[in-house]
Amino acid sequence: MSVSNLSDRQQRAVDDLFRRIAPVADELGELFEARGHELALVGGSVRDVLLGRVGHDIDLTTDARPERVLEIVKDWADAVWTIGIDFGTVGVRKGGWQLEITTYRSESYDPASRKPEVSYGDTLEGDLRRRDFAVNAMAVRVPSHEFVDPFGGLPDLSAKVLRTPGAPEESFDDDPLRMLRAARFASQLGFSVDPKAVEAMTAMAGRIEIVSAERIREELDKLICGAHPREGLAMLVDTGLAAHVLPELPKLRLEIDEHHRHKDVYEHTLIVLEQAVGLETSGPDRVLRWAALLHDVGKPKTRRNEPGGRVSFHHHEVVGAQMAKKRLSELKFPKDVVADVSRLVELHLRFHGYGLGEWTDSAVRRYVRDAGHLLERLHKLTRADCTTRNKRKAAALSQTYDQLEDRISRLAEEEELAKIRPELDGNEIQEILGLAPGPVIGRAYKHMLDIRMDEGMIGKEAAKEALLKWAHAQGILP
């Protein structure tokens, strides 16, 4: 397919790319050509250019083997890295561009293996055939700038559809992770998935279990942080893939939420996620999004039928926090992400104890202290969790939370809530009690912190009297 098949807008995008990258791409293409090798921009780099999105990371492919690539670029590149060389990839930095040059290849899985076997190919068309979707199987040769699209990626791009270059069964059998990529691209790009691919995903969902947790996590995280996460998640559930990689999600489909206003807790969860996304202020917040997705996963385990036909989910936030921690840990998320998401799940109902605004200043202080650095995210999660269709009730909840935030702001100005400490520090407690550091001092510190939370600032002398009174009552002092 020649460049003339591009629309005027797409042609301008390609021309713009080469105006900016030509000094790099064309120089490199000429180096490879002079040594008898091919080089082409490929995959997501070409797709994104045609979608009008150009970054500074460029993927290229070549018939040269990795060792040969190293020979060609060693005196040209500003920096070279070989972390992916076992999979045929050499990383290169030139000026402000990051380039990944990968040898033509094909990947396949042994039925019992979690790692792809890499074999090298000899033609660009063969390399493109092994790629996940036709929209990622387009290339532009350098330095000639010839556009190559043997599998109809350009029409698919215009139709916003994801279709495998060959039979989807073969593609997904070669690399089962491509099934998750379909859902991820549906989330990131807002594309639909070809019905034949969906059918194959449904039939082959169990094949995903041979893929490592780390690779699954990467795809799920990109999906959650995409522009259309609902579409991607719905695809995982509808095809049965979620039952293998995120089983807590489809289980929510069986539960009716406590408001009896939504189809099920699964639908409620997707709405909460969408509303949380709408509250973001500076790009995707993975912690907030995962917390929104997992905030009600404890409901199936805590469901109880109550008199009068009511259904309760007592303590589902505590159970859900444990489940969220377990799932994210199994997916190999960083410890700080696991801790933050599970903490938000645990705290997401705390606001509902606020009622009509009768919380004491002490309760507000504890709310802030328990949330810690997650307070702003907790604000957003709590607001997103209101999905009632009763406009009067929704407005009342919003107004009540507005009042809580106002009180938090007022107290924060007066007392620096984020830095609340007992009025007596550890050294002062030791001196007053005449004790060395140890468990008793820890208990005393906690008691003084509770006083600080409950009563605010009472002054050093009153704090000392309170400490001595507690110590006598505990039998610590005679």
Side-chain angles (χ1 to χ4, degrees):
M1 183 176 286
S2 68
V3 179
S4 61
N5 292 89
L6 299 177
S7 69
D8 290 342
R9 180 187 60 79
Q10 290 168 334
Q11 185 63 62
R12 285 195 299 271
V14 172
D15 290 344
D16 179 62
L17 170 69
F18 278 106
R19 271 194 297 272
R20 295 191 295 122
I21 197 177
V24 172
D26 287 352
E27 275 183 23
L28 192 56
E30 290 167 0
L31 282 177
F32 275 75
E33 191 174 65
R35 290 163 175 77
H37 293 290
E38 301 175 347
L39 187 68
L41 275 71
V42 72
S45 297
V46 176
R47 179 202 69 219
D48 286 346
V49 168
L50 297 177
L51 288 173
R53 308 184 312 180
V54 182
H56 284 78
D57 297 336
I58 299 296
D59 295 326
L60 300 110
T61 189
T62 179
D63 61 336
R65 298 300 190 257
E67 295 75 13
R68 181 65 168 154
V69 173
L70 287 173
E71 291 176 12
I72 296 172
V73 303
K74 65 180 180 179
D75 294 328
W76 175 83
D78 295 332
V80 176
W81 57 96
T82 59
I83 191 171
I85 199 166
D86 289 344
F87 298 98
T89 299
V90 174
V92 173
R93 179 172 59 80
K94 182 70 172 181
W97 296 95
Q98 302 282 352
L99 314 174
E100 285 197 348
I101 307 169
T102 302
T103 303
Y104 297 159
R105 64 185 183 182
S106 61
E107 292 179 356
S108 62
Y109 277 86
D110 181 276
S113 173
R114 288 180 177 268
K115 295 183 178 180
E117 297 176 356
V118 177
S119 58
Y120 297 126
D122 298 311
T123 67
L124 176 58
E125 287 74 13
D127 180 80
L128 296 177
R129 179 181 294 277
R130 67 116 190 141
R131 293 180 179 264
D132 49 11
F133 302 104
V135 296
N136 294 329
M138 299 179 285
V140 179
R141 295 182 186 274
V142 288
S144 68
H145 299 184
E146 176 193 357
F147 183 69
V148 182
D149 182 19
F151 303 105
L154 190 59
D156 285 0
L157 202 66
S158 298
K160 296 185 177 181
V161 65
L162 297 170
R163 182 179 51 82
T164 56
E169 294 82 3
E170 294 179 7
S171 180
F172 298 152
D173 193 54
D174 283 346
D175 185 353
L177 192 68
R178 290 172 179 168
M179 295 186 288
L180 286 191
R181 285 202 196 108
R184 188 247 288 185
F185 285 127
S187 169
Q188 288 184 323
L189 303 175
F191 284 18
S192 63
V193 179
D194 177 69
K196 290 182 179 179
V198 173
E199 185 178 341
M201 290 164 66
T202 304
M204 302 173 66
R207 186 92 166 102
I208 196 67
E209 293 192 359
I210 71 165
V211 180
S212 69
E214 290 85 354
R215 297 184 78 205
I216 290 173
R217 177 206 65 224
E218 184 176 353
E219 293 300 324
L220 289 178
D221 204 35
K222 289 177 179 178
L223 186 161
I224 290 294
C225 291
H228 312 276
R230 181 190 181 105
E231 284 77 357
L233 291 167
M235 179 161 295
L236 293 184
V237 172
D238 293 344
T239 59
L241 280 163
H244 299 278
V245 299
L246 201 60
E248 296 81 4
L249 188 58
K251 287 180 181 178
L252 295 179
R253 248 181 175 173
L254 305 177
E255 306 300 328
I256 304 301
D257 84 323
E258 70 270 30
H259 303 298
H260 300 277
R261 292 291 188 274
H262 301 286
K263 181 179 178 181
D264 48 37
V265 177
Y266 167 73
E267 177 65 19
H268 164 77
T269 294
L270 295 182
I271 294 173
V272 172
L273 175 58
E274 288 180 315
Q275 293 185 165
V277 171
L279 294 173
E280 292 174 339
T281 55
S282 57
D285 183 336
R286 72 194 302 211
V287 168
L288 176 63
R289 293 190 182 200
W290 276 104
L293 181 66
L294 300 176
H295 79 284
D296 273 350
V297 293
K299 282 189 171 179
K301 285 189 176 182
T302 58
R303 179 177 181 170
R304 297 290 183 272
N305 294 317
E306 305 289 354
R310 289 185 62 255
V311 176
S312 68
F313 303 97
H314 295 308
H315 305 302
H316 76 267
E317 72 279 12
V318 177
V319 173
Q322 295 169 346
M323 293 173 65
K325 183 176 182 179
K326 182 175 185 293
R327 174 57 52 203
L328 296 179
S329 296
E330 289 180 352
L331 287 170
K332 310 295 185 183
F333 272 91
K335 290 182 179 179
D336 62 327
V337 174
V338 175
D340 286 352
V341 171
S342 57
R343 185 62 169 158
L344 284 171
V345 172
E346 182 181 3
L347 293 174
H348 83 273
L349 283 186
R350 182 73 65 86
F351 159 72
H352 294 284
Y354 188 66
L356 298 176
E358 68 271 15
W359 273 9
T360 62
D361 284 353
S362 170
V364 175
R365 292 187 195 102
R366 290 181 185 279
Y367 186 80
V368 173
R369 182 172 179 84
D370 289 347
H373 70 283
L374 298 170
L375 182 61
E376 288 303 316
R377 286 182 172 127
L378 182 57
H379 288 334
K380 293 174 182 177
L381 178 59
T382 301
R383 289 185 181 277
D385 194 26
C386 176
T387 61
T388 178
R389 296 178 185 177
N390 184 318
K391 293 183 179 179
R392 182 180 300 175
K393 185 176 181 180
L397 284 169
S398 179
Q399 184 178 17
T400 303
Y401 205 83
D402 288 343
Q403 293 170 0
L404 176 57
E405 287 201 61
D406 287 342
R407 289 184 66 189
I408 289 172
S409 296
R410 176 175 56 79
L411 284 172
E413 289 179 6
E414 295 173 357
E415 305 181 18
E416 293 187 285
L417 287 181
K419 300 178 181 178
I420 283 183
R421 299 289 186 272
E423 287 188 76
L424 301 175
D425 63 26
N427 291 330
E428 290 172 317
I429 291 172
Q430 292 174 48
E431 183 178 347
I432 292 168
L433 298 182
L435 297 175
V440 172
I441 299 301
R443 286 165 50 203
Y445 185 92
K446 183 179 182 302
H447 176 70
M448 297 309 297
L449 180 58
D450 287 340
I451 290 176
R452 174 72 175 82
M453 287 289 189
D454 292 338
E455 302 179 31
M457 299 288 285
I458 61 176
K460 288 278 189 180
E461 286 303 316
K464 179 178 179 180
E465 290 178 12
L467 174 61
L468 291 171
K469 182 179 178 180
W470 172 84
H472 287 300
Q474 293 290 314
I476 296 169
L477 294 179

